[in-house]
Amino acid sequence: MGDPVRILHVVVNMNRGGAETLLMNMYRNIDRTQIQFDFLTCKEGIFDSEITAMGGRVHRIPYLTEVGHSKYIQALNQFFVSHPEYRIVHSHMDKMSGFVLRSAKKAGVPTRIAHSHNTSSEGGFAARMYKWAAGSFIRPSSTHFIACSLKAAEWLFPGRKDQAAILKNGIEYEKFLFNQEVRVQVRRELEIPEASCVVGHVGRFNHQKNHAFLIDIFAQLHADTPNTNTVLVLAGDGPLRPEMEKKVRECKLEGKVKFLGVRSDIARLLQAFDTFVFPSLHEGLPVTLIEAQGAGLPCIISDVITQEVDMGMELVDYISLDQPTTWVQAIKRRIAKPTSRHIPANSLTERGYDIRTTARWVEDYYLTMTR
């Protein structure tokens, strides 16, 4: 048997974001005698050592913000010319994939995949215009399109969404199944009294995740339920964290909000929550919402998020961001009438969100291209 086919995945870094978590879940579950993952990154990532331990290679080029447009493009061009061994390039940079795949095409890489994980670009006007320009190269430079949801396909591949394959953001669902002992243990670790009502959120502190709205809702919930010990637990890190810590102080909620930073034990953490609140301004199809449902958690989420994320277990409430009081009412309703956290074991598998299904799909997809 020959060497495995090496797929080059292009990301900014391999940290615990949604796309990166999905990539690592797939990587751990594919047949690595047939397929190997390598990564082209711009910054160090938390998963780098695990990647190399599994036989993957992590390449690094300087990022756009460090060296400017011309030198970044130059670094991309140079990389693909000096690494002709890659026959399949899979880019996860949303609109910025246009520049990546243009360089790959120029260097003669035969298979060039653009993968959409989102439904909108981040940043101010100038940044969005720059990304729009980058995105204009996706159609002429890609050979294949993949998206995590139909909305994500519509956004990155306008007029071509029907040509995009939908790759489901599968998870290792057994890790997330509810466990009462773990719940008690985690609450003890976080110094949360057992009778408390815990509102949880997992996400990077950036504009998209809408933490300010989340804190406002929690402040209202706290005011409305004086006889209940309410706690807000926030897992994640990012540029807006100091601002949100300040907001919590201004709302006089210091003892009620826990900032945990980046965690590697999300499956454990979810056991300790009572509701999962997710007021994002835009999303592709968040892996964290699949994980939360896997843990049997009621999820109260913004109505801009695709309906495809609802696993049909009556755990998801979609609410408009224009109705903050409705969010508070929904949390109170879910707390007053708690449902069983023990979900049917096959509920995610049946909908194709078991990572083994995702991994098999990806293997077939890549191997078909090499035949």
Side-chain angles (χ1 to χ4, degrees), residues 110-168:
T111 303
R112 305 175 300 276
I113 305 162
H115 195 143
S116 179
H117 294 274
N118 220 318
T119 56
S120 179
S121 287
E122 281 291 294
F125 179 73
R128 287 205 307 274
M129 287 308 290
Y130 181 79
K131 288 173 183 175
W132 178 84
S136 67
F137 293 104
I138 288 177
R139 192 186 283 191
S141 305
S142 308
T143 56
H144 296 75
F145 303 137
I146 295 182
C148 61
S149 67
L150 294 170
K151 268 190 177 181
E154 273 167 32
W155 172 66
L156 200 60
F157 318 122
R160 297 285 179 97
K161 70 164 201 254
D162 297 341
Q163 293 167 24
I166 302 297
L167 172 63
K168 293 186 172 179

Short mmCIF file of all heavy atoms in Angstrom, two decimals, residues 110-168:
data_model
loop_
_atom_site.label_atom_id
_atom_site.label_comp_id
_atom_site.label_asym_id
_atom_site.label_seq_id
_atom_site.Cartn_x
_atom_site.Cartn_y
_atom_site.Cartn_z
N PRO A 110 -4.14 20.88 -8.85
CA PRO A 110 -5.33 20.49 -9.63
C PRO A 110 -6.67 20.60 -8.89
O PRO A 110 -7.68 20.91 -9.49
CB PRO A 110 -5.04 19.04 -10.03
CG PRO A 110 -3.95 18.56 -9.15
CD PRO A 110 -3.20 19.76 -8.66
N THR A 111 -6.68 20.31 -7.58
CA THR A 111 -7.95 20.31 -6.84
C THR A 111 -7.91 21.39 -5.76
O THR A 111 -7.07 21.36 -4.86
CB THR A 111 -8.21 18.92 -6.21
OG1 THR A 111 -8.20 17.94 -7.25
CG2 THR A 111 -9.56 18.89 -5.50
N ARG A 112 -8.86 22.35 -5.87
CA ARG A 112 -8.84 23.52 -4.98
C ARG A 112 -10.25 23.72 -4.40
O ARG A 112 -11.18 24.08 -5.12
CB ARG A 112 -8.39 24.75 -5.77
CG ARG A 112 -7.04 24.54 -6.47
CD ARG A 112 -6.66 25.71 -7.36
NE ARG A 112 -7.60 25.97 -8.44
CZ ARG A 112 -7.62 25.35 -9.62
NH1 ARG A 112 -6.73 24.39 -9.89
NH2 ARG A 112 -8.51 25.66 -10.54
N ILE A 113 -10.36 23.48 -3.08
CA ILE A 113 -11.67 23.47 -2.43
C ILE A 113 -11.85 24.73 -1.57
O ILE A 113 -11.01 25.03 -0.72
CB ILE A 113 -11.81 22.22 -1.52
CG1 ILE A 113 -11.56 20.93 -2.32
CG2 ILE A 113 -13.19 22.18 -0.86
CD1 ILE A 113 -11.24 19.72 -1.45
N ALA A 114 -12.96 25.43 -1.78
CA ALA A 114 -13.34 26.55 -0.91
C ALA A 114 -14.42 26.05 0.04
O ALA A 114 -15.41 25.45 -0.40
CB ALA A 114 -13.86 27.72 -1.74
N HIS A 115 -14.24 26.29 1.33
CA HIS A 115 -15.18 25.78 2.35
C HIS A 115 -15.77 26.96 3.11
O HIS A 115 -15.04 27.73 3.73
CB HIS A 115 -14.40 24.86 3.31
CG HIS A 115 -15.27 24.00 4.17
ND1 HIS A 115 -14.92 22.70 4.50
CD2 HIS A 115 -16.46 24.23 4.78
CE1 HIS A 115 -15.87 22.18 5.28
NE2 HIS A 115 -16.81 23.10 5.46
N SER A 116 -17.09 27.08 3.09
CA SER A 116 -17.77 28.17 3.80
C SER A 116 -18.24 27.71 5.17
O SER A 116 -19.01 26.77 5.29
CB SER A 116 -18.97 28.66 2.99
OG SER A 116 -19.63 29.69 3.70
N HIS A 117 -17.76 28.43 6.20
CA HIS A 117 -18.14 28.12 7.59
C HIS A 117 -18.99 29.23 8.19
O HIS A 117 -19.24 29.23 9.39
CB HIS A 117 -16.89 27.95 8.45
CG HIS A 117 -16.05 26.75 8.10
ND1 HIS A 117 -16.28 25.49 8.60
CD2 HIS A 117 -14.97 26.63 7.27
CE1 HIS A 117 -15.38 24.65 8.12
NE2 HIS A 117 -14.57 25.32 7.32
N ASN A 118 -19.38 30.24 7.38
CA ASN A 118 -20.04 31.40 7.96
C ASN A 118 -21.09 31.97 7.02
O ASN A 118 -21.28 31.46 5.90
CB ASN A 118 -19.00 32.46 8.33
CG ASN A 118 -19.33 33.13 9.66
OD1 ASN A 118 -20.49 33.44 9.94
ND2 ASN A 118 -18.31 33.35 10.47
N THR A 119 -21.74 33.07 7.45
CA THR A 119 -22.75 33.71 6.59
C THR A 119 -22.52 35.21 6.49
O THR A 119 -23.36 35.95 6.00
CB THR A 119 -24.17 33.45 7.14
OG1 THR A 119 -24.23 33.91 8.49
CG2 THR A 119 -24.54 31.97 7.08
N SER A 120 -21.37 35.68 7.01
CA SER A 120 -21.07 37.11 6.96
C SER A 120 -19.60 37.32 7.27
O SER A 120 -18.97 36.47 7.89
CB SER A 120 -21.93 37.85 7.99
OG SER A 120 -21.64 39.23 7.96
N SER A 121 -19.04 38.47 6.85
CA SER A 121 -17.65 38.81 7.17
C SER A 121 -17.60 39.68 8.41
O SER A 121 -18.50 40.47 8.66
CB SER A 121 -17.01 39.59 6.02
OG SER A 121 -16.74 38.73 4.93
N GLU A 122 -16.52 39.54 9.17
CA GLU A 122 -16.29 40.38 10.35
C GLU A 122 -15.47 41.60 9.95
O GLU A 122 -14.85 41.63 8.89
CB GLU A 122 -15.51 39.58 11.41
CG GLU A 122 -16.38 38.63 12.21
CD GLU A 122 -17.35 39.33 13.14
OE1 GLU A 122 -16.90 39.98 14.09
OE2 GLU A 122 -18.56 39.22 12.92
N GLY A 123 -15.44 42.60 10.82
CA GLY A 123 -14.56 43.75 10.62
C GLY A 123 -15.32 45.00 10.19
O GLY A 123 -16.52 44.96 9.90
N GLY A 124 -14.59 46.12 10.14
CA GLY A 124 -15.16 47.39 9.72
C GLY A 124 -15.34 47.45 8.21
O GLY A 124 -15.10 46.47 7.51
N PHE A 125 -15.72 48.62 7.72
CA PHE A 125 -16.03 48.79 6.29
C PHE A 125 -14.83 48.42 5.41
O PHE A 125 -14.96 47.66 4.44
CB PHE A 125 -16.47 50.24 6.03
CG PHE A 125 -16.78 50.52 4.58
CD1 PHE A 125 -17.94 50.01 3.99
CD2 PHE A 125 -15.91 51.25 3.78
CE1 PHE A 125 -18.22 50.24 2.65
CE2 PHE A 125 -16.18 51.50 2.44
CZ PHE A 125 -17.34 50.99 1.88
N ALA A 126 -13.64 48.95 5.76
CA ALA A 126 -12.45 48.70 4.92
C ALA A 126 -12.12 47.21 4.89
O ALA A 126 -11.83 46.65 3.82
CB ALA A 126 -11.25 49.49 5.45
N ALA A 127 -12.17 46.56 6.05
CA ALA A 127 -11.87 45.12 6.12
C ALA A 127 -12.86 44.31 5.29
O ALA A 127 -12.47 43.39 4.56
CB ALA A 127 -11.90 44.65 7.58
N ARG A 128 -14.13 44.69 5.37
CA ARG A 128 -15.15 43.94 4.61
C ARG A 128 -15.00 44.15 3.11
O ARG A 128 -15.22 43.23 2.32
CB ARG A 128 -16.56 44.31 5.10
CG ARG A 128 -16.88 43.70 6.47
CD ARG A 128 -18.37 43.53 6.71
NE ARG A 128 -19.10 44.78 6.49
CZ ARG A 128 -19.27 45.72 7.41
NH1 ARG A 128 -18.74 45.56 8.61
NH2 ARG A 128 -19.93 46.82 7.14
N MET A 129 -14.62 45.35 2.70
CA MET A 129 -14.39 45.62 1.27
C MET A 129 -13.20 44.80 0.76
O MET A 129 -13.24 44.25 -0.34
CB MET A 129 -14.13 47.11 1.02
CG MET A 129 -15.38 47.98 1.16
SD MET A 129 -16.78 47.39 0.17
CE MET A 129 -16.21 47.75 -1.49
N TYR A 130 -12.17 44.72 1.58
CA TYR A 130 -10.98 43.94 1.22
C TYR A 130 -11.36 42.46 1.07
O TYR A 130 -10.97 41.80 0.10
CB TYR A 130 -9.90 44.12 2.29
CG TYR A 130 -8.62 43.37 2.00
CD1 TYR A 130 -7.69 43.87 1.09
CD2 TYR A 130 -8.34 42.15 2.61
CE1 TYR A 130 -6.52 43.19 0.81
CE2 TYR A 130 -7.18 41.45 2.33
CZ TYR A 130 -6.27 41.98 1.44
OH TYR A 130 -5.11 41.29 1.15
N LYS A 131 -12.15 41.97 2.03
CA LYS A 131 -12.58 40.56 1.97
C LYS A 131 -13.49 40.32 0.76
O LYS A 131 -13.43 39.25 0.15
CB LYS A 131 -13.28 40.15 3.27
CG LYS A 131 -12.30 40.02 4.44
CD LYS A 131 -13.03 39.79 5.75
CE LYS A 131 -12.06 39.74 6.91
NZ LYS A 131 -12.73 39.64 8.21
N TRP A 132 -14.31 41.31 0.45
CA TRP A 132 -15.18 41.18 -0.73
C TRP A 132 -14.32 41.02 -1.99
O TRP A 132 -14.60 40.18 -2.85
CB TRP A 132 -16.09 42.41 -0.84
CG TRP A 132 -16.97 42.37 -2.06
CD1 TRP A 132 -18.18 41.73 -2.18
CD2 TRP A 132 -16.71 42.95 -3.34
NE1 TRP A 132 -18.67 41.89 -3.45
CE2 TRP A 132 -17.79 42.64 -4.19
CE3 TRP A 132 -15.64 43.72 -3.85
CZ2 TRP A 132 -17.84 43.05 -5.52
CZ3 TRP A 132 -15.70 44.13 -5.17
CH2 TRP A 132 -16.79 43.80 -5.99
N ALA A 133 -13.25 41.84 -2.09
CA ALA A 133 -12.33 41.75 -3.24
C ALA A 133 -11.68 40.37 -3.29
O ALA A 133 -11.60 39.75 -4.34
CB ALA A 133 -11.27 42.85 -3.14
N ALA A 134 -11.25 39.88 -2.11
CA ALA A 134 -10.64 38.54 -2.05
C ALA A 134 -11.64 37.48 -2.50
O ALA A 134 -11.31 36.58 -3.29
CB ALA A 134 -10.18 38.24 -0.62
N GLY A 135 -12.89 37.64 -2.05
CA GLY A 135 -13.94 36.67 -2.37
C GLY A 135 -14.26 36.58 -3.85
O GLY A 135 -14.73 35.55 -4.33
N SER A 136 -13.98 37.66 -4.58
CA SER A 136 -14.28 37.65 -6.03
C SER A 136 -13.41 36.64 -6.78
O SER A 136 -13.71 36.27 -7.91
CB SER A 136 -14.08 39.06 -6.62
OG SER A 136 -12.71 39.41 -6.57
N PHE A 137 -12.33 36.16 -6.15
CA PHE A 137 -11.46 35.16 -6.81
C PHE A 137 -11.88 33.73 -6.50
O PHE A 137 -11.30 32.79 -7.04
CB PHE A 137 -9.99 35.36 -6.37
CG PHE A 137 -9.40 36.65 -6.87
CD1 PHE A 137 -9.22 37.73 -6.00
CD2 PHE A 137 -9.05 36.82 -8.20
CE1 PHE A 137 -8.70 38.93 -6.45
CE2 PHE A 137 -8.51 38.02 -8.66
CZ PHE A 137 -8.34 39.07 -7.78
N ILE A 138 -12.87 33.55 -5.62
CA ILE A 138 -13.25 32.18 -5.24
C ILE A 138 -13.81 31.41 -6.43
O ILE A 138 -13.36 30.30 -6.72
CB ILE A 138 -14.24 32.18 -4.05
CG1 ILE A 138 -13.49 32.58 -2.78
CG2 ILE A 138 -14.91 30.81 -3.88
CD1 ILE A 138 -14.34 32.68 -1.53
N ARG A 139 -14.76 32.01 -7.14
CA ARG A 139 -15.39 31.29 -8.25
C ARG A 139 -14.39 30.91 -9.35
O ARG A 139 -14.30 29.73 -9.72
CB ARG A 139 -16.54 32.11 -8.82
CG ARG A 139 -17.40 31.28 -9.77
CD ARG A 139 -18.46 32.12 -10.45
NE ARG A 139 -19.58 32.40 -9.57
CZ ARG A 139 -20.73 32.93 -9.99
NH1 ARG A 139 -20.88 33.26 -11.25
NH2 ARG A 139 -21.70 33.16 -9.15
N PRO A 140 -13.55 31.86 -9.83
CA PRO A 140 -12.61 31.47 -10.88
C PRO A 140 -11.44 30.58 -10.41
O PRO A 140 -10.80 29.93 -11.22
CB PRO A 140 -12.07 32.80 -11.40
CG PRO A 140 -12.34 33.80 -10.34
CD PRO A 140 -13.55 33.32 -9.60
N SER A 141 -11.20 30.52 -9.08
CA SER A 141 -10.02 29.80 -8.60
C SER A 141 -10.33 28.45 -7.95
O SER A 141 -9.41 27.68 -7.68
CB SER A 141 -9.27 30.65 -7.57
OG SER A 141 -8.95 31.92 -8.11
N SER A 142 -11.62 28.16 -7.69
CA SER A 142 -11.97 26.90 -7.01
C SER A 142 -12.39 25.84 -8.01
O SER A 142 -12.97 26.16 -9.04
CB SER A 142 -13.15 27.11 -6.06
OG SER A 142 -12.91 28.17 -5.19
N THR A 143 -12.12 24.59 -7.66
CA THR A 143 -12.67 23.48 -8.46
C THR A 143 -13.87 22.85 -7.74
O THR A 143 -14.69 22.20 -8.36
CB THR A 143 -11.60 22.40 -8.70
OG1 THR A 143 -11.09 21.95 -7.44
CG2 THR A 143 -10.44 22.93 -9.54
N HIS A 144 -13.94 23.03 -6.40
CA HIS A 144 -15.02 22.44 -5.60
C HIS A 144 -15.46 23.42 -4.51
O HIS A 144 -14.64 24.16 -3.99
CB HIS A 144 -14.56 21.14 -4.94
CG HIS A 144 -14.21 20.05 -5.90
ND1 HIS A 144 -13.03 20.07 -6.62
CD2 HIS A 144 -14.87 18.93 -6.26
CE1 HIS A 144 -12.99 18.99 -7.39
NE2 HIS A 144 -14.09 18.28 -7.20
N PHE A 145 -16.76 23.35 -4.16
CA PHE A 145 -17.31 24.16 -3.08
C PHE A 145 -17.87 23.24 -1.98
O PHE A 145 -18.56 22.27 -2.29
CB PHE A 145 -18.48 25.03 -3.57
CG PHE A 145 -18.15 25.96 -4.70
CD1 PHE A 145 -19.04 26.10 -5.77
CD2 PHE A 145 -16.98 26.72 -4.71
CE1 PHE A 145 -18.76 26.97 -6.83
CE2 PHE A 145 -16.70 27.59 -5.76
CZ PHE A 145 -17.59 27.72 -6.82
N ILE A 146 -17.60 23.60 -0.72
CA ILE A 146 -18.21 22.89 0.43
C ILE A 146 -18.75 23.95 1.38
O ILE A 146 -18.17 25.04 1.51
CB ILE A 146 -17.16 22.02 1.18
CG1 ILE A 146 -16.64 20.88 0.29
CG2 ILE A 146 -17.76 21.42 2.46
CD1 ILE A 146 -15.63 19.96 1.00
N ALA A 147 -19.86 23.64 2.06
CA ALA A 147 -20.39 24.55 3.08
C ALA A 147 -20.95 23.73 4.23
O ALA A 147 -21.28 22.55 4.07
CB ALA A 147 -21.48 25.43 2.48
N CYS A 148 -21.06 24.37 5.41
CA CYS A 148 -21.59 23.68 6.59
C CYS A 148 -23.12 23.74 6.64
O CYS A 148 -23.75 23.01 7.38
CB CYS A 148 -21.00 24.26 7.86
SG CYS A 148 -21.38 26.01 8.08
N SER A 149 -23.70 24.67 5.84
CA SER A 149 -25.16 24.80 5.80
C SER A 149 -25.55 25.47 4.48
O SER A 149 -24.69 26.03 3.78
CB SER A 149 -25.67 25.65 6.97
OG SER A 149 -25.24 27.00 6.82
N LEU A 150 -26.84 25.43 4.16
CA LEU A 150 -27.31 26.05 2.91
C LEU A 150 -27.09 27.56 2.94
O LEU A 150 -26.70 28.16 1.94
CB LEU A 150 -28.79 25.73 2.69
CG LEU A 150 -29.11 24.25 2.43
CD1 LEU A 150 -30.60 24.00 2.47
CD2 LEU A 150 -28.54 23.80 1.08
N LYS A 151 -27.31 28.18 4.12
CA LYS A 151 -27.10 29.63 4.25
C LYS A 151 -25.64 29.99 4.01
O LYS A 151 -25.33 31.01 3.40
CB LYS A 151 -27.50 30.09 5.66
CG LYS A 151 -28.93 30.54 5.80
CD LYS A 151 -29.13 31.20 7.18
CE LYS A 151 -30.54 31.72 7.34
NZ LYS A 151 -30.74 32.38 8.64
N ALA A 152 -24.74 29.16 4.53
CA ALA A 152 -23.30 29.41 4.36
C ALA A 152 -22.91 29.26 2.89
O ALA A 152 -22.07 30.01 2.38
CB ALA A 152 -22.49 28.45 5.23
N ALA A 153 -23.55 28.32 2.19
CA ALA A 153 -23.28 28.14 0.75
C ALA A 153 -23.78 29.34 -0.04
O ALA A 153 -23.08 29.85 -0.93
CB ALA A 153 -23.96 26.86 0.26
N GLU A 154 -24.97 29.83 0.30
CA GLU A 154 -25.55 31.00 -0.38
C GLU A 154 -24.65 32.22 -0.24
O GLU A 154 -24.48 33.01 -1.16
CB GLU A 154 -26.92 31.35 0.23
CG GLU A 154 -28.08 30.61 -0.40
CD GLU A 154 -29.35 30.74 0.46
OE1 GLU A 154 -29.53 31.79 1.10
OE2 GLU A 154 -30.14 29.78 0.47
N TRP A 155 -24.07 32.37 0.95
CA TRP A 155 -23.26 33.57 1.23
C TRP A 155 -21.94 33.56 0.45
O TRP A 155 -21.60 34.54 -0.20
CB TRP A 155 -22.98 33.68 2.73
CG TRP A 155 -21.99 34.76 3.07
CD1 TRP A 155 -22.17 36.10 2.89
CD2 TRP A 155 -20.67 34.60 3.58
NE1 TRP A 155 -21.04 36.79 3.28
CE2 TRP A 155 -20.11 35.89 3.71
CE3 TRP A 155 -19.91 33.49 3.98
CZ2 TRP A 155 -18.82 36.11 4.21
CZ3 TRP A 155 -18.63 33.71 4.48
CH2 TRP A 155 -18.10 35.01 4.58
N LEU A 156 -21.20 32.44 0.52
CA LEU A 156 -19.85 32.44 -0.09
C LEU A 156 -19.87 32.12 -1.58
O LEU A 156 -18.97 32.52 -2.31
CB LEU A 156 -18.93 31.46 0.65
CG LEU A 156 -17.42 31.70 0.46
CD1 LEU A 156 -16.99 33.08 0.96
CD2 LEU A 156 -16.60 30.62 1.16
N PHE A 157 -20.92 31.41 -2.02
CA PHE A 157 -20.99 31.00 -3.43
C PHE A 157 -22.28 31.51 -4.07
O PHE A 157 -23.12 30.73 -4.50
CB PHE A 157 -20.92 29.47 -3.55
CG PHE A 157 -19.90 28.84 -2.63
CD1 PHE A 157 -20.27 27.87 -1.70
CD2 PHE A 157 -18.55 29.21 -2.70
CE1 PHE A 157 -19.34 27.29 -0.85
CE2 PHE A 157 -17.61 28.62 -1.85
CZ PHE A 157 -18.00 27.67 -0.92
N PRO A 158 -22.48 32.84 -4.13
CA PRO A 158 -23.74 33.36 -4.68
C PRO A 158 -23.96 32.88 -6.11
O PRO A 158 -23.05 32.91 -6.93
CB PRO A 158 -23.56 34.88 -4.61
CG PRO A 158 -22.09 35.12 -4.44
CD PRO A 158 -21.54 33.91 -3.77
N GLY A 159 -25.16 32.39 -6.36
CA GLY A 159 -25.48 31.88 -7.70
C GLY A 159 -24.94 30.48 -7.96
O GLY A 159 -25.24 29.87 -8.98
N ARG A 160 -24.14 29.95 -7.03
CA ARG A 160 -23.56 28.61 -7.21
C ARG A 160 -23.86 27.69 -6.02
O ARG A 160 -23.22 26.66 -5.88
CB ARG A 160 -22.02 28.71 -7.36
CG ARG A 160 -21.53 29.47 -8.57
CD ARG A 160 -21.70 28.64 -9.84
NE ARG A 160 -21.26 29.36 -11.01
CZ ARG A 160 -20.05 29.21 -11.55
NH1 ARG A 160 -19.17 28.40 -11.02
NH2 ARG A 160 -19.74 29.88 -12.66
N LYS A 161 -24.78 28.10 -5.16
CA LYS A 161 -24.99 27.32 -3.93
C LYS A 161 -25.38 25.87 -4.21
O LYS A 161 -25.06 24.97 -3.45
CB LYS A 161 -26.01 28.00 -3.01
CG LYS A 161 -27.45 27.97 -3.52
CD LYS A 161 -28.42 28.30 -2.38
CE LYS A 161 -29.78 27.78 -2.72
NZ LYS A 161 -30.77 28.72 -3.10
N ASP A 162 -26.05 25.64 -5.34
CA ASP A 162 -26.47 24.27 -5.68
C ASP A 162 -25.29 23.38 -6.02
O ASP A 162 -25.40 22.15 -6.00
CB ASP A 162 -27.46 24.29 -6.86
CG ASP A 162 -28.74 25.03 -6.50
OD1 ASP A 162 -28.99 25.18 -5.29
OD2 ASP A 162 -29.47 25.46 -7.41
N GLN A 163 -24.15 24.01 -6.34
CA GLN A 163 -22.96 23.21 -6.67
C GLN A 163 -22.14 22.86 -5.43
O GLN A 163 -21.15 22.14 -5.52
CB GLN A 163 -22.08 23.99 -7.66
CG GLN A 163 -22.74 24.17 -9.02
CD GLN A 163 -22.00 25.19 -9.87
OE1 GLN A 163 -20.82 25.45 -9.70
NE2 GLN A 163 -22.71 25.80 -10.81
N ALA A 164 -22.55 23.41 -4.26
CA ALA A 164 -21.78 23.17 -3.03
C ALA A 164 -22.24 21.88 -2.35
O ALA A 164 -23.43 21.63 -2.21
CB ALA A 164 -21.95 24.35 -2.08
N ALA A 165 -21.27 21.09 -1.93
CA ALA A 165 -21.58 19.91 -1.11
C ALA A 165 -21.75 20.39 0.33
O ALA A 165 -21.02 21.27 0.78
CB ALA A 165 -20.43 18.92 -1.19
N ILE A 166 -22.75 19.85 1.05
CA ILE A 166 -22.94 20.22 2.46
C ILE A 166 -22.23 19.16 3.31
O ILE A 166 -22.56 17.98 3.26
CB ILE A 166 -24.44 20.29 2.82
CG1 ILE A 166 -25.17 21.32 1.93
CG2 ILE A 166 -24.61 20.63 4.31
CD1 ILE A 166 -24.71 22.76 2.06
N LEU A 167 -21.22 19.62 4.06
CA LEU A 167 -20.49 18.74 4.96
C LEU A 167 -20.98 19.02 6.38
O LEU A 167 -20.83 20.14 6.88
CB LEU A 167 -18.98 18.99 4.86
CG LEU A 167 -18.10 18.26 5.88
CD1 LEU A 167 -18.21 16.75 5.71
CD2 LEU A 167 -16.65 18.68 5.75
N LYS A 168 -21.59 18.02 7.00
CA LYS A 168 -22.18 18.24 8.33
C LYS A 168 -21.11 18.30 9.41
O LYS A 168 -20.17 17.53 9.40
CB LYS A 168 -23.21 17.13 8.61
CG LYS A 168 -24.41 17.24 7.68
CD LYS A 168 -25.50 16.28 8.00
CE LYS A 168 -26.73 16.59 7.15
NZ LYS A 168 -27.82 15.66 7.41
#
